[in-house]
Amino acid sequence: MALSQVLDVTTRYNAAKSETLDIGGYDYAIVQLVNPSGTVTFKTSNDANAIEGASDGSAVSATNFTVVQGTNLATSAAASTLAATGLMRFSYIGKFLQIDGGGTVTCDKVLVRLFKIN
């Protein structure tokens, strides 16, 4: 049995032209972009930027991101960017997933489906 949830992060993504999600504890994530105005890059990190004894860190404070490859579900090819409507699947990456529009790219929709397999 699998559990899943769909997050609509469109408003937050378009406001910042980026969105960082804590996907720790999930087995995989599928990101759907609809009509991006340019190229969106996917990144990951395990660094929550925690301060020992004061903060565990979070997706908001996460740092040290690196580009990550996912699987483009239309082509089955490994990719780290999307420049058109499509879906990307990410398995076994860091604790945080960043959807990065480089400060300029907007999307009509940004949906993230998270899966946990029991």
Side-chain angles (χ1 to χ4, degrees):
M1 179 176 173
L3 302 172
S4 72
Q5 69 173 338
V6 177
L7 306 174
D8 183 341
V9 297
T10 308
T11 301
R12 290 194 322 250
Y13 170 85
N14 283 331
K17 312 307 185 274
S18 180
E19 176 67 14
T20 302
L21 300 166
D22 183 342
I23 62 168
Y26 290 96
D27 293 306
Y28 63 96
I30 296 176
V31 177
Q32 180 175 7
L33 301 181
V34 178
N35 296 325
S37 63
T39 301
V40 175
T41 303
F42 301 97
K43 300 177 181 178
T44 192
S45 178
N46 282 321
D47 188 350
N49 202 21
I51 300 169
E52 189 172 340
S55 167
D56 290 337
S58 68
V60 174
S61 63
T63 188
N64 295 318
F65 284 89
T66 187
V67 174
V68 66
Q69 286 189 337
T71 302
N72 183 318
L73 294 181
T75 64
S76 297
S80 58
T81 63
L82 263 181
T85 296
L87 292 110
M88 294 282 288
R89 178 182 167 146
F90 298 92
S91 301
Y92 309 112
I93 63 172
K95 179 174 173 58
F96 303 102
L97 173 64
Q98 186 177 72
I99 306 164
D100 184 10
T104 61
V105 178
T106 60
C107 296
D108 288 349
K109 281 275 192 187
V110 180
L111 303 171
V112 180
R113 188 167 183 191
L114 302 170
F115 289 88
K116 177 69 179 164
I117 301 168
N118 290 340

